Amino acid sequence: MRFSVKKVLGIEKPRDDIQFILDCANIRNSRVISIHHRIAYVTLFTAAAQLFLSVVTHSAEMGKFTHRALTVRIGIFLTTLSAFAIYVSILDYVLKEQILVFITLELLLACIFMVRPVYSVALITISFWFFYWLMDKVAGVSAATNVNYPILYVFFVIVNIARYYQYLKVARQTVMNHALAESLRESSLTDALTKLKNRAALKLRFEEMIGSEITMMLTDIDDFKSHNDKLGHRHGDELLVRFARILQAEFGAENAFRYGGDEYIVMVPKISAQEFDEKIKNCLSSIAGAFNFSGGRTSGPVNSIDDLDAFIKAADEKLYQAKREGKNRVLGE
């Protein structure tokens, strides 16, 4: 037989009798594109569209978005998918065609979505055996199908369950890794002794304040070394922790930082000098004379992260001035 490129590409016009057979096949296949088929395709498209829209609007909904809502939308899509697969494939079966649409879409149902097996297996079971019942009713079922069909069903169920639990295992590991990373990040930003935020956290917090007015105070415990020398380092640590708790309670955990040694920084956005002084008085009341502290404060707008050193330097100068003037006081601009 002479090789013809035109014949292979379908360009060469076939003989009239061959063209007749092709036309009959096309007519037979085109019959199924009825109004019922169009309705089925539109229904499937609508079900897919509602699921797609729920995904793209997820970030916009945020607080309104729930797991239950997603489950319902996936359930609508999967149920519609199964009904579509049964409808199209039973028509193919009547025409002695393959039931590949049903098999393909059931495989999609079994392998794509991470739905709990109690739901997905129920849907696979109902659709599989309802489709089997329809095949038997409309055209009968061959002996080969009676053997192969249950094997196919069991395979789909096993794949669905295995894939779900494998993905569940991966998801749990991901959550554990995320929690561990978050824990390590938190510990890297927290002082081990006082549990206040540290210098690294101070820098991050200061960066968040760009564009805002802040008041910063640098403070330390007066004569801290003498506390250590007289009563021991354990007592000194207790003083550090106590002072940290007082600052944290009065100014907020997000605004109190351990700067180093017995030095602390308090950084508060949008607060008046009067309000700040009131908080200092509350700190003194909480200490109840157990020890004294001095501080220097400065206020102003934050324009960039480079302003951090200038704020600390200005507060430090006021702190030293407070020390020179007799300690146990907070001085500010």
Side-chain angles (χ1 to χ4, degrees), residues 236-252:
D237 287 347
E238 290 174 356
L239 285 184
L240 292 173
V241 171
R242 183 175 177 183
F243 192 30
R245 294 289 173 270
I246 291 170
L247 293 173
Q248 189 178 49
E250 192 59 39
F251 292 97

Side-chain angles (χ1 to χ4, degrees), residues 210-277:
I210 293 175
S212 301
E213 286 270 345
I214 68 166
T215 296
M216 177 184 287
M217 178 179 70
L218 179 62
T219 181
D220 67 10
I221 298 173
D222 290 334
D223 303 313
F224 179 70
K225 185 176 183 302
S226 66
H227 285 283
N228 274 337
D229 293 342
K230 291 178 182 178
L231 300 173
H233 288 281
R234 184 173 181 179
H235 175 74
D237 287 347
E238 290 174 356
L239 285 184
L240 292 173
V241 171
R242 183 175 177 183
F243 192 30
R245 294 289 173 270
I246 291 170
L247 293 173
Q248 189 178 49
E250 192 59 39
F251 292 97
E254 72 279 10
N255 297 325
F257 307 84
R258 187 180 184 190
Y259 190 62
D262 64 323
E263 289 185 323
Y264 299 86
I265 283 181
V266 170
M267 184 171 60
V268 187
K270 300 176 183 177
I271 187 172
S272 66
Q274 184 178 357
E275 290 178 291
F276 200 91
D277 288 338

Side-chain angles (χ1 to χ4, degrees), residues 44-248:
L44 180 62
F45 175 80
T46 304
Q50 61 88 27
L51 182 59
F52 174 76
L53 289 174
S54 72
V55 172
V56 298
T57 59
H58 179 186
S59 58
E61 294 178 353
M62 291 306 278
K64 299 179 182 178
F65 190 85
T66 63
H67 169 71
R68 184 182 298 276
L70 179 61
T71 301
V72 170
R73 291 169 182 177
I74 291 177
I76 291 172
F77 174 71
L78 293 183
T79 303
T80 306
L81 186 70
S82 295
F84 175 84
I86 291 171
Y87 174 75
V88 172
S89 293
I90 204 66
L91 292 178
D92 290 341
Y93 190 71
V94 171
L95 297 172
K96 307 300 182 183
E97 301 288 348
Q98 297 291 331
I99 58 171
L100 293 178
V101 173
F102 178 77
I103 300 301
T104 302
L105 295 186
E106 288 297 307
L107 188 62
L108 177 72
L109 189 157
C111 296
I112 297 299
F113 291 94
M114 296 298 108
V115 183
R116 289 182 181 179
V118 68
Y119 301 120
S120 56
V121 171
L123 187 56
I124 291 171
T125 301
I126 292 170
S127 58
F128 249 84
W129 296 107
F130 179 66
F131 184 66
Y132 178 86
W133 178 80
L134 284 177
M135 286 194 300
D136 189 43
K137 285 293 181 183
V138 300
V141 178
S142 67
T145 301
N146 278 328
V147 174
N148 296 331
Y149 197 80
I151 294 175
L152 198 61
Y153 162 73
V154 172
F155 170 75
F156 276 24
V157 169
I158 292 175
V159 167
N160 177 257
I161 295 174
R163 189 169 185 278
Y164 176 82
Y165 282 103
Q166 178 63 28
Y167 197 85
L168 193 63
K169 182 179 178 181
V170 172
R172 284 173 177 160
Q173 189 62 47
T174 301
V175 170
M176 288 176 60
N177 290 342
H178 178 76
L180 178 60
E182 189 63 28
S183 176
L184 291 173
R185 178 182 177 277
E186 187 64 25
S187 64
S188 71
L189 299 174
T190 304
D191 177 62
L193 176 64
T194 63
K195 306 307 179 187
L196 289 183
K197 299 297 183 181
N198 59 20
R199 285 194 183 194
L202 171 66
K203 186 175 182 180
L204 292 175
R205 178 66 171 162
F206 190 83
E207 197 168 7
E208 293 174 3
M209 298 296 180
I210 293 175
S212 301
E213 286 270 345
I214 68 166
T215 296
M216 177 184 287
M217 178 179 70
L218 179 62
T219 181
D220 67 10
I221 298 173
D222 290 334
D223 303 313
F224 179 70
K225 185 176 183 302
S226 66
H227 285 283
N228 274 337
D229 293 342
K230 291 178 182 178
L231 300 173
H233 288 281
R234 184 173 181 179
H235 175 74
D237 287 347
E238 290 174 356
L239 285 184
L240 292 173
V241 171
R242 183 175 177 183
F243 192 30
R245 294 289 173 270
I246 291 170
L247 293 173
Q248 189 178 49

